[in-house]
């Protein structure tokens, strides 16, 4: 599972504020803060979604499609 540090790093790599990161993940800001603080574990489904967002960002930067 994604650690709070990895979750924070992913947010920073995506260049998103906490509110925008929460919106992109379809969760509340409070949940985001709880995961960042390590109060709750990041679910595997969110881990996978974050990985997808990061992959899409890389592909977009390279001008490739997101299949």
């Amino acid at each position: 599972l994604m650690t709070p540090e990895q979750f924070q790093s992913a947010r920073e790599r995506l260049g998103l504020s906490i509110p925008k990161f929460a919106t992109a993940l379809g969760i509340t800001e409070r949940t985001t803060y709880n995961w960042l603080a390590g109060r709750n574990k990041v679910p595997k489904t969110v881990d996978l979604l974050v990985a997808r967002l990061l992959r899409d960002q890389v592909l977009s930067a390279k001008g490739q499609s997101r299949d």
Side-chain angles (χ1 to χ4, degrees):
L1 292 175
M2 185 176 275
T3 66
E5 294 79 14
Q6 291 168 322
F7 192 64
Q8 174 68 16
S9 176
R11 183 186 71 79
E12 291 171 354
R13 286 172 46 202
L14 289 165
L16 297 174
S17 65
I18 290 174
K20 288 185 179 183
F21 193 43
T23 299
L25 297 174
I27 58 174
T28 65
E29 285 182 49
R30 170 171 258 151
T31 297
T32 305
Y33 281 110
N34 286 336
W35 291 342
L36 289 168
R39 285 189 277 276
N40 300 97
K41 292 183 180 182
V42 178
K44 183 67 175 169
T45 53
V46 173
D47 191 337
L48 295 171
L49 179 55
V50 169
R52 176 72 186 249
L53 291 172
L54 289 167
R55 184 187 75 118
D56 287 353
Q57 180 188 49
V58 169
L59 292 176
S60 179
K62 291 182 178 181
Q64 298 177 5
S65 66
R66 302 182 215 168
D67 296 324

